[in-house]
């Protein structure tokens, strides 16, 4: 186990002094992400824009994606996405919503059926209308806001109000930066992206609660220690656990990103981004916020010698 330890068990890094740089950097990143969201916008997938999803299985071996894409392009159906998923002979086709309401969608499905009639098995054909996609977008937004509200209530009851505000600030920071990443890279934003954001919220919160637990424990133990010094001590106490958890999760996600196929690629990339941002925010955002929220008033004297409380819990 000693050989696998990437971070020493006892460290003395000074994180709080870096808040002078981390806060302006995060504010700049948040403002840039919001600007990219309104200027560039998200590349909404068929889940939100509406369209046709067709799953086929080739009958003569692994699918030739390039040939299928070329044949679909010749049908003049507009934006068409073709990708494999699962086995090499499984293909997912996404076609943008056609003009002409229901008749237009049925016409496009008929063209695809005629084109590949004897060569593939049609396993699923689904048309997503604009009303359904609008409801999905609304439900996704409500899910993210509800999760943030639940986080606020949970942390508020478990800790003090400053911890609840700090956790919300860090989580909102992670969500906004993830949405900004989707806008800048123009990754397909669908229901799986909402799932990724909710997962990032859960991961970021878990990381933050681990740090907050140690801060609360040290608050009881070192009653005269200045808050910045106590926060540094608490983060250093949990640094080994935080680093190992993040690295092992990243290794699993990188394997999924490389070998998991195109269908889950945007989901895993968002998760990788979320793990990095969530780890950063739990150290450089969630903890320093407690200083600005006056969790413990700064002593007038400059006595920084820690005095452990005897018999503390």
């Amino acid at each position: 186990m000693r050989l696998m330890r990437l971070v020493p068990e006892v460290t003395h890094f000074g994180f709080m002094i870096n808040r002078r740089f981390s806060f302006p950097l995060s504010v700049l990143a948040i403002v840039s992400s919001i600007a990219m969201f309104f200027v560039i916008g998200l590349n909404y997938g068929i889940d939100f824009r509406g369209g046709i999803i067709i799953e086929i299985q080739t009958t003569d071996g692994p699918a030739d994606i390039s040939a299928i894409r070329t044949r679909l392009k010749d049908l003049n159906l507009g934006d068409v996405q073709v990708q494999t998923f699962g086995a090499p002979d499984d293909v997912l086709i996404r076609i943008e919503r056609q003009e002409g309401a229901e008749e237009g969608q049925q016409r496009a499905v008929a063209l695809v059926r005629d084109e590949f009639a004897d060569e593939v098995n049609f396993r699923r054909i689904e048309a997503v209308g604009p009303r359904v996609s609008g409801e999905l977008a609304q439900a996704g937004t409500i899910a993210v806001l509800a999760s943030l509200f639940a986080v606020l209530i949970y942390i508020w009851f478990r800790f003090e109000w400053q911890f609840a505000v700090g956790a919300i600030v860090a989580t909102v920071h992670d969500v906004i930066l993830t949405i900004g990443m989707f806008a800048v890279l123009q990754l397909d934003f669908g229901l799986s992206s909402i799932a990724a954001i909710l997962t990032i919220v859960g991961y970021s919160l878990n990381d933050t609660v681990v740090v907050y637990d140690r801060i609360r424990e040290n608050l009881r133990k070192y009653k005269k220690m200045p808050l910045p010094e106590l926060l540094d001590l608490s983060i250093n106490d949990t640094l080994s656990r935080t680093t190992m958890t993040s690295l092992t999760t990243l290794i699993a996600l990188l394997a999924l990103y490389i070998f998991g196929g195109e269908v889950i690629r945007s989901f895993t990339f968002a998760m990788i981004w979320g793990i990095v941002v969530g780890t950063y925010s739990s150290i450089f955002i969630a903890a320093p916020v407690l200083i600005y929220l006056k969790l413990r008033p700064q002593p007038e004297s400059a006595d920084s010698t820690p005095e452990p409380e005897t018999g503390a819990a």
Side-chain angles (χ1 to χ4, degrees):
M1 292 298 291
R2 185 179 295 276
L3 293 176
M4 294 178 64
R5 182 167 291 135
L6 300 178
V7 177
E9 190 172 358
V10 179
T11 57
H12 302 282
F13 296 114
F15 295 102
M16 293 307 105
I17 194 171
N18 290 318
R19 69 181 186 275
R20 302 170 187 172
F21 308 102
S22 62
F23 269 67
L25 178 65
S26 290
V27 169
L28 179 62
I30 288 173
V31 171
S32 300
S33 296
I34 294 174
M36 292 297 104
F37 174 77
F38 285 106
V39 174
I40 300 177
L42 297 175
N43 178 24
Y44 291 107
I46 289 176
D47 294 332
F48 292 131
R49 287 185 304 173
I52 303 169
I53 299 175
I54 302 175
E55 288 183 12
I56 62 174
Q57 184 180 48
T58 55
T59 57
D60 56 349
D64 186 342
I65 298 298
S66 178
I68 293 175
R69 189 177 289 118
T70 301
R71 292 170 67 178
L72 288 171
K73 186 177 180 180
D74 293 339
L75 298 178
N76 295 319
L77 297 175
D79 183 21
V80 177
Q81 301 171 16
V82 183
Q83 59 193 52
T84 58
F85 70 100
D89 54 353
D90 291 333
V91 179
L92 178 67
I93 301 171
R94 298 170 185 259
I95 303 172
E96 73 172 13
R97 183 166 179 79
Q98 305 294 301
E99 295 182 358
E102 186 63 26
E103 294 77 13
Q105 318 315 309
Q106 294 297 332
R107 193 181 311 115
V109 171
L111 286 172
V112 176
R113 280 187 176 278
D114 292 341
E115 181 67 26
F116 300 98
D118 301 324
E119 305 171 33
V120 303
N121 294 322
F122 288 88
R123 302 174 64 181
R124 179 168 74 109
I125 299 176
E126 185 176 340
V128 181
R131 180 177 177 181
V132 174
S133 60
E135 291 174 353
L136 289 175
Q138 184 181 22
T141 304
I142 291 174
V144 174
L145 294 178
S147 68
L148 292 176
F149 182 73
V151 167
L152 176 65
I153 299 299
Y154 169 73
I155 301 292
W156 201 312
F157 274 101
R158 181 166 176 176
F159 300 95
E160 299 175 47
W161 68 268
Q162 291 95 336
F163 290 96
V165 174
I168 287 295
V169 169
T171 306
V172 170
H173 166 275
D174 299 344
V175 171
I176 291 178
L177 261 58
T178 302
I179 291 175
M181 181 273 295
F182 271 100
V184 171
L185 299 182
Q186 287 294 288
L187 296 178
D188 187 68
F189 192 87
L191 288 180
S192 62
S193 308
I194 296 293
I197 290 175
L198 290 174
T199 309
I200 291 169
V201 167
Y203 182 88
S204 175
L205 174 64
N206 180 64
D207 234 16
T208 302
V209 166
V210 169
V211 176
Y212 277 0
D213 257 334
R214 186 54 60 94
I215 292 173
R216 183 175 60 174
E217 180 182 326
N218 286 336
L219 279 172
R220 295 169 180 166
K221 192 174 181 181
Y222 300 100
K223 294 192 173 181
K224 294 184 179 179
M225 182 182 287
L227 187 56
E229 200 172 316
L230 186 140
L231 296 177
D232 277 341
L233 173 66
S234 304
I235 293 174
N236 278 293
D237 285 348
T238 58
L239 190 61
S240 179
R241 178 264 176 203
T242 300
T243 306
M244 287 301 295
T245 303
S246 299
L247 284 179
T248 50
T249 308
L250 281 175
I251 290 172
L253 288 172
L254 283 172
L256 279 176
Y257 181 78
I258 295 171
F259 303 109
E262 188 66 29
V263 174
I264 61 171
R265 188 151 292 167
S266 63
F267 173 82
T268 51
F269 186 82
M271 285 297 302
I272 291 171
W273 172 264
I275 297 300
V276 174
V277 171
T279 303
Y280 163 83
S281 69
S282 65
I283 296 175
F284 293 102
I285 301 297
V289 162
L290 300 177
I291 298 175
Y292 296 105
L293 295 177
K294 309 292 185 187
L295 177 65
R296 171 184 284 180
Q298 296 300 308
E300 293 182 1
S301 65
D303 183 13
S304 60
T305 304
E307 295 185 13
E309 183 189 23
T310 56

